[in-house]
Amino acid sequence: MAIDIEAERVVERASFREMRTVDVNDVIEYVHAGIQQWPTSRDLYDKYAIQRWNVQELDFTQDRIDWETKLSNDEKEAFLYVATGFHHGERQVEVDLWPEFMAIDNDEDKIFLTSQMEDEARHTIFFDRFYREVVGYDGEGIRGVLHQSYAHATPGLVGAFAYLTHLGDRIRQNPEDRHTLVEFIAAYHLWIEGVGALTVMQTTLNFCRRRGVLPGYYQGFNATTRDESRHVQFGTSVLHRMLHEDPTYVEDINRALRVNLAISSVAAFRVQYEPLGYTEEEFQGIFMNQLMRKTRAIGLELPQDILEAAQNVRPEAFGGG
Ligand SMILES: [Fe+2]
Ligand SMILES: [Fe+2]
């Protein structure tokens, strides 16, 4: 599905308040339309300056009422399994982004990454507020609330982020290692953000639209989805550029995909998507679509074993960042 110019303009320029009514499906298309234009890191930084929003402006009063009175227990349970991947994911990328910042050697890229770090910190606060004010968790500081929501963390979430932390640690030990940097960028911007994040955004935000619930969550997370357009476009642009410089980096990207697909094929329990309005097959279809659109845009021809692994994986809600 392509986005028309007018819808793209609406997404691009919407104020934070207007993100309450902008269609999330248009925002998802906006992410992909931008990839093909190969924006520079300066372009993306300039967009950040316009699209940045204040998490303090959100009002969760109606969300709390909806949570208490409109959502069934099954809906809440499914929602928490899917949303928790983001609650933990945002915090994890906020602390794991800096090895990439350290290793990347281009000033424009570093400047862009300062904006992404600020985005991820703001997203972390957004989820902290949502879990406190709507779900009703408490605890000391960011970590206290994370500790409570860990009950809904899936093995796929833990695995994908543990792998990212491992790659970040290898970059810390050897910042000159470009191959590990490419693997890190593929694991973060391509897999966690480009596939996991956008799948969760599309499913939970469409659930809110269909059910007419959680307006504060919709506004904040829809704005988060638009922020994600810059993160995904940055990552795919850097990968595209680096592959042009040295085609052997393709093996590092493939490795990141193989590891993450293997992690995603392990499940200690199955998340139920039906209460959110999706069958497992539909969830799988959205996931595959997200993966294929990004790899095609970069010009990657996925080897047969990766394609088969992607077809067979029963994706869990592994979250995003
Ligand atoms: Fe984020
Ligand atoms: Fe992100």
Side-chain angles (χ1 to χ4, degrees), residues 28 69 104 191 199 208 223 238 255 276 290:
I28 298 278
T69 63
I104 219 149
W191 181 262
T199 301
C208 294
V238 172
R255 184 181 159 89
L276 299 180
Q290 296 294 355

Side-chain angles (χ1 to χ4, degrees), residues 97-112:
L97 185 48
W98 76 266
E100 179 182 340
F101 176 86
M102 176 183 68
I104 219 149
D105 58 7
N106 173 308
D107 283 342
E108 280 74 14
D109 293 343
K110 278 189 193 286
I111 287 168
F112 170 77

Side-chain angles (χ1 to χ4, degrees), residues 124-172:
T124 301
I125 295 169
F126 166 72
F127 274 99
D128 185 71
R129 280 196 59 194
F130 178 78
Y131 274 83
R132 281 177 195 277
E133 296 173 40
V134 180
V135 182
Y137 291 170
D138 57 15
E140 208 181 307
I142 298 281
R143 290 193 193 180
V145 178
L146 282 166
H147 189 64
Q148 284 205 29
S149 78
Y150 189 73
H152 288 92
T154 63
L157 159 73
V158 176
F161 285 92
Y163 173 51
L164 189 72
T165 302
H166 162 75
L167 291 173
D169 202 42
R170 286 181 52 203
I171 294 174
R172 274 190 283 273

Side-chain angles (χ1 to χ4, degrees), residues 15 47 54 65 90 93 109 117 128 142 148 152 157 164 174 180-181 191 222 244 252 257 292 305 319:
S15 66
K47 275 190 194 170
N54 280 330
I65 295 167
E90 298 289 10
V93 295
D109 293 343
M117 282 185 199
D128 185 71
I142 298 281
Q148 284 205 29
H152 288 92
L157 159 73
L164 189 72
N174 187 2
T180 302
L181 178 63
W191 181 262
N222 208 21
H244 189 71
D252 306 299
L257 295 176
M292 297 313 293
D305 69 299

Side-chain angles (χ1 to χ4, degrees), residues 77-305:
E77 195 66 3
F79 191 91
L80 286 177
Y81 270 116
V82 178
T84 295
F86 252 96
H87 184 210
H88 283 257
E90 298 289 10
R91 182 265 172 189
Q92 203 55 41
V93 295
E94 180 220 320
V95 297
D96 274 340
L97 185 48
W98 76 266
E100 179 182 340
F101 176 86
M102 176 183 68
I104 219 149
D105 58 7
N106 173 308
D107 283 342
E108 280 74 14
D109 293 343
K110 278 189 193 286
I111 287 168
F112 170 77
L113 284 172
T114 64
S115 75
Q116 179 160 349
M117 282 185 199
E118 195 277 326
D119 277 339
E120 306 299 17
R122 182 162 16 88
H123 301 165
T124 301
I125 295 169
F126 166 72
F127 274 99
D128 185 71
R129 280 196 59 194
F130 178 78
Y131 274 83
R132 281 177 195 277
E133 296 173 40
V134 180
V135 182
Y137 291 170
D138 57 15
E140 208 181 307
I142 298 281
R143 290 193 193 180
V145 178
L146 282 166
H147 189 64
Q148 284 205 29
S149 78
Y150 189 73
H152 288 92
T154 63
L157 159 73
V158 176
F161 285 92
Y163 173 51
L164 189 72
T165 302
H166 162 75
L167 291 173
D169 202 42
R170 286 181 52 203
I171 294 174
R172 274 190 283 273
Q173 290 170 41
N174 187 2
E176 303 298 319
D177 176 1
R178 301 284 100 180
H179 287 280
T180 302
L181 178 63
V182 170
E183 192 175 337
F184 182 98
I185 291 172
Y188 180 16
H189 299 276
L190 183 60
W191 181 262
I192 287 176
E193 294 186 312
V195 181
L198 291 175
T199 301
V200 172
M201 287 160 157
Q202 195 168 339
T203 48
T204 62
L205 290 171
N206 273 306
F207 166 75
C208 294
R209 272 173 78 85
R210 273 198 298 269
R211 288 280 276 110
V213 293
L214 307 178
Y217 176 88
Y218 187 89
Q219 182 185 354
F221 205 39
N222 208 21
T224 301
T225 308
R226 186 172 63 178
D227 293 341
E228 214 54 50
S229 71
R230 301 189 300 276
H231 307 173
V232 171
Q233 288 168 21
F234 171 78
T236 46
S237 289
V238 172
L239 290 176
H240 184 249
R241 192 201 311 154
M242 291 184 83
L243 275 172
H244 189 71
E245 288 165 14
D246 182 353
T248 68
Y249 288 135
V250 75
E251 279 314 311
D252 306 299
I253 299 174
N254 285 343
R255 184 181 159 89
L257 295 176
R258 284 191 180 103
V259 170
N260 273 311
L261 282 162
I263 290 169
S264 294
S265 66
V266 178
F269 47 82
R270 299 252 54 109
V271 176
Q272 300 300 319
Y273 301 106
E274 279 81 4
L276 299 180
Y278 293 91
T279 64
E280 198 176 297
E281 290 69 35
E282 284 167 335
F283 198 85
Q284 156 93 9
I286 292 170
F287 171 94
M288 272 296 288
N289 191 31
Q290 296 294 355
L291 175 64
M292 297 313 293
R293 290 182 82 173
K294 254 72 72 183
T295 53
R296 246 184 255 129
I298 301 170
L300 288 176
E301 274 194 40
L302 294 180
Q304 199 55 32
D305 69 299

